[in-house]
Amino acid sequence: MSTEGASSYGDLPAVATDSPVGARNSMDRLYAPPALSERLIRAFLMFCAALSIGTTLGIIGVLFEETRAFFAQVPFSSFFGDTQWTPLFAEKHFGIWPLVGGTMLTTLIAMAVALPFGLTAAIYLSEFASATVRKWLKPALEILAGVPTVVYGYFALTMVTPLLQTLLPDLAAFNVLSAGLMMGIMILPVIASLSEDAIFAVPSSLREGALALGATKLSTVFRVVLPSAFSGIGAATILGVSRAIGETMIVAIAAGQQARLSLDPREGMQTMTAYIVQVSMGDTPTGTIEFHTIFAVGMMLFCMTMVLNLIAQHLRGRVLKGSL
Amino acid sequence: MSRLYTVDAQAVAAERAFRAIAILALVLPLCLLALLFGGTLIDGFSRLSFDFLSGFPSRRPEEAGILPALAGTMALMLLTAAMAIPVGVGAAIYLEEYAPPGKITTLIEVNIRNLAGVPSIIYGLLGLEVFVRSLQMDRSLIAGACTLALLLLPMVVMASREALRTVPRMYREAAWALGAEKWTGIRRVVLPMCLPGILTGVILSLARAIGETAPLITLGALTYVSFLPTSLKSAFTALPIQIFNWTSRPQAGFHVAAAAGIVVLLTMMLLLNATAIVLRMRLQKKVTW
């Protein structure tokens, strides 16, 4: 490259002529060290990437600090041993189980809807549907996954609950059943889309091998393809559960605000997320025990979803590495 | 002509049955959703008017308007995008183009994927403690935007990385072989090639972040705001919060207002999605080097 050519492109540096070409045996010496601007840009980009670590540290730090303040006033044994959760009442109890129970029950109902429907849809899309159907349904699923959850909450409270009340007359106005059902519909596209990716990624040589041995299409799908995609489907399911546990607006709107340890989905129950919303809506002074509770509950929520996400990532990592 | 294979009638019937069940499993939820969206749209459109869009909240449901929420959401969207997009794309470029393979890079990657799975309400708790209390931003527009930016960041990074990965390595190598420095090659060759992909991914993520309600509520965003945000420090409300507030009230009139709010919110989402698609189509046609 001529020096005139290089100077007309200010940001294209000329090949350094003063570098001792051939003087060292290291290849690094064949070009000049990066310009200062280049190093600054690199440093800035690195800072951007490191910011994500800062976010995680921030989340853990904030939750840890406030949770510590909470446990300075409430004993551990009460948090994990008590079966009542009434921090906003005069007579305070700090047992987390009613909130965890409410969360688990809604998650269970949601998964009971999302898993069978989502998985069947995924199998159909991957193995049976024509290319045109796939081309239209996949983006449709992704758009559905982007609908704000407050909209699903509105559906659950104003339409699904009245509809269900005609079938189940003793259904409460705020109940876990319709919140869970709606949450299942919300998570369905997530599970369908992720499982479809996993099933589609199974090498076609496996299908062809099974078919060549005389297996029918159905037994190929259920006895060869699905077992091979097991890790990916497992990851999709766990991510779905994690989404359900962390989902806030549907349960805050439709599941009610009584922290109650029960198994009856016709009643209203409060979830961990709904409790945080309830406290945030009121004017709770910072530094009070009520204020600390939302961080303790948040810590519980964070730990549960974190464990699930790590398991899901591990499973997906196995899929990527090919050792199904 | 005689067949080369035998037809197992039972297997054919079983496959047909499965297809029917599978189609039912797809159509049933979609029908239910169509019913729910349809019902909401009908309710919402009846309430939608210029007065609704330009009005302020009211105690009387038939007079309630959505202007402060709309303005708040617009302002949040611009501020959030201005903060999260440069940083997110920068992080993606670092991870795809610069980062040396190793423990630290793996840590950052695992960390970003984990952050994408953290429930949004946890970001609200982070924002409440860091932005509202420690940095004393109060329950202001800028505190809300900072919180949403943190929430948006992992989504932007993952979408941008996917787009960067679509540019074949040989284009970078060609640029370097011509004497371009690393960043020059990225800026003049790689970024123009994958800009449509980055923009599409970023806009879709932005649409998702804008629909978030929980972090803003946790932050303490107000639900009754009768003024427009005038500065970064103003108190604010947003469309999803307004919808939540109206839905939570017992009067049916407010539910209709919520339905109208949902129509406005979904229209904004569809517009953002359409923008992403149009941008992608236009930029794919003329790539400027």
Side-chain angles (χ1 to χ4, degrees):
Chain A
M1 182 185 288
S2 73
T3 39
E4 297 106 74
S7 61
S8 65
Y9 290 96
D11 45 0
L12 281 183
V15 175
T17 47
D18 57 346
S19 67
V21 178
R24 307 263 174 89
N25 50 9
S26 163
M27 288 292 283
D28 298 359
R29 278 301 170 199
L30 281 174
Y31 50 85
L36 180 66
S37 62
E38 193 81 5
R39 271 178 288 161
L40 282 178
I41 285 168
R42 192 194 148 95
F44 169 73
L45 296 176
M46 199 171 165
F47 165 77
C48 294
L51 207 65
S52 71
I53 301 273
T55 310
T56 306
L57 290 181
I59 290 175
I60 294 173
V62 162
L63 291 179
F64 188 79
E65 202 44 42
E66 290 285 338
T67 308
R68 220 182 39 146
F70 172 77
F71 281 119
Q73 295 180 50
V74 176
F76 234 66
S77 57
S78 155
F79 191 67
F80 288 108
D82 205 329
T83 53
Q84 283 183 63
W85 178 260
T86 54
L88 305 179
F89 296 170
E91 198 205 326
K92 294 183 194 308
H93 287 275
F94 297 98
I96 188 73
W97 296 116
L99 295 185
V100 174
T103 305
M104 288 301 166
L105 194 58
T106 36
T107 304
L108 199 73
I109 297 171
M111 292 313 287
V113 174
L115 203 54
F117 280 97
L119 205 51
T120 316
I123 295 170
Y124 178 76
L125 280 180
S126 171
E127 304 296 314
F128 294 93
S130 66
T132 341
V133 174
R134 261 177 69 88
K135 207 182 93 192
W136 284 99
L137 272 176
K138 275 286 270 186
L141 287 181
E142 259 134 50
I143 289 181
L144 275 182
V147 172
T149 55
V150 68
V151 176
Y152 288 117
Y154 172 86
F155 290 165
L157 182 69
T158 63
M159 291 189 261
V160 177
T161 296
L163 193 74
L164 287 176
Q165 273 170 335
T166 58
L167 303 172
L168 301 164
D170 45 357
L171 191 71
F174 296 99
N175 63 81
V176 172
L177 185 62
S178 66
L181 286 178
M182 211 57 240
M183 202 192 267
I185 300 278
M186 182 208 93
I187 291 169
L188 203 159
V190 180
I191 295 207
S193 189
L194 288 174
S195 315
E196 201 266 351
D197 289 341
I199 297 170
F200 198 67
V202 172
S204 49
S205 59
L206 287 180
R207 295 184 186 89
E208 285 155 10
L211 291 173
L213 288 172
T216 60
K217 176 114 187 169
L218 273 189
S219 48
T220 305
V221 169
F222 282 98
R223 297 172 67 175
V224 177
V225 178
L226 283 190
S228 307
F230 185 76
S231 289
I233 295 173
T237 309
I238 293 171
L239 283 178
V241 172
S242 167
R243 279 282 297 270
I245 290 177
E247 167 46 40
T248 308
M249 295 323 293
I250 299 177
V251 283
I253 290 174
Q257 300 197 327
Q258 297 104 332
R260 168 188 303 159
L261 197 56
S262 155
L263 283 174
D264 186 353
R266 291 169 302 177
E267 294 175 29
M269 269 175 240
Q270 193 166 42
T271 66
M272 296 191 280
T273 49
Y275 174 73
I276 299 178
V277 167
Q278 188 194 1
V279 173
S280 305
M281 296 292 290
D283 257 333
T284 312
T286 57
T288 57
I289 185 71
E290 291 88 342
F291 183 77
H292 292 317
T293 54
I294 60 174
F295 289 91
V297 172
M299 184 65 145
M300 190 81 183
L301 185 65
F302 179 73
C303 291
M304 287 168 76
T305 52
M306 186 65 133
V307 168
L308 290 172
N309 290 344
L310 285 175
I311 296 173
Q313 275 204 35
H314 176 72
L315 284 174
R316 286 182 92 180
R318 273 173 50 181
V319 176
L320 292 178
K321 273 188 208 136
S323 59
L324 306 161
Chain B
M1 243 173 97
S2 66
R3 286 174 200 261
L4 285 173
Y5 52 90
T6 54
V7 176
D8 181 347
Q10 217 178 345
V12 170
E15 195 190 318
R16 276 215 193 114
F18 179 76
R19 270 174 186 269
I21 292 172
I23 291 175
L24 211 64
L26 260 170
V27 168
L28 215 64
L30 285 178
C31 277
L32 179 65
L33 278 174
L35 219 70
L36 294 172
F37 277 109
T40 308
L41 291 188
I42 290 169
D43 275 0
F45 269 116
S46 68
R47 180 69 176 72
L48 213 53
S49 66
F50 183 72
D51 286 343
F52 179 72
L53 290 175
S54 64
F56 289 89
S58 163
R59 252 175 292 127
R60 281 182 289 275
E62 57 285 348
E63 286 172 16
I66 208 163
L67 186 62
L70 202 56
T73 286
M74 294 282 187
L76 274 179
M77 188 162 76
L78 291 178
L79 288 170
T80 306
M83 283 188 278
I85 292 176
V87 177
V89 175
I93 293 175
Y94 179 78
L95 289 172
E96 281 299 310
E97 311 286 336
Y98 285 91
K103 274 195 186 139
I104 296 181
T105 308
T106 315
L107 180 73
I108 295 180
E109 283 177 343
V110 170
N111 180 51
I112 287 176
R113 257 174 285 155
N114 264 325
L115 278 180
V118 170
S120 60
I121 196 164
I122 301 282
Y123 284 93
L125 291 175
L126 176 71
L128 173 65
E129 194 76 1
V130 173
F131 300 124
V132 175
R133 292 182 65 200
S134 299
L135 298 177
Q136 295 179 344
M137 290 179 184
D138 231 1
R139 301 171 166 193
S140 61
L141 201 53
I142 186 73
C146 287
T147 308
L148 285 186
L150 287 184
L151 177 83
L152 180 61
L153 205 54
M155 294 194 265
V156 171
V157 176
M158 293 202 295
S160 308
R161 286 188 72 180
E162 222 154 272
L164 282 166
R165 253 178 251 149
T166 59
V167 180
R169 186 166 170 80
M170 61 178 178
Y171 287 91
R172 297 174 178 86
E173 285 165 354
W176 301 334
L178 288 171
E181 287 229 14
K182 188 131 190 175
W183 172 246
T184 316
I186 293 168
R187 189 170 62 88
R188 305 268 282 256
V189 178
V190 179
L191 281 184
M193 283 189 81
C194 63
L195 199 62
I198 291 185
L199 275 178
T200 311
V202 164
I203 293 176
L204 292 180
S205 316
L206 186 63
R208 219 167 264 202
I210 282 311
E212 282 292 350
T213 323
L216 296 179
I217 289 180
T218 314
L219 213 60
L222 302 176
T223 49
Y224 185 91
V225 174
S226 54
F227 51 85
L228 296 180
T230 49
S231 77
L232 295 180
K233 286 285 197 179
S234 314
F236 71 102
T237 191
L239 268 180
I241 298 181
Q242 188 66 71
I243 293 168
F244 171 56
N245 178 256
W246 282 336
T247 307
S248 311
R249 297 198 192 191
Q251 301 97 316
F254 279 119
H255 289 178
V256 177
I262 287 173
V263 172
V264 175
L265 184 64
L266 290 180
T267 310
M268 276 183 71
M269 298 270 147
L270 282 180
L271 281 180
L272 276 174
N273 278 296
T275 313
I277 293 166
V278 169
L279 267 177
R280 178 162 54 183
M281 287 199 304
R282 281 193 59 155
L283 288 170
Q284 262 169 356
K285 264 188 225 152
K286 41 177 184 183
V287 176
T288 45
W289 293 84

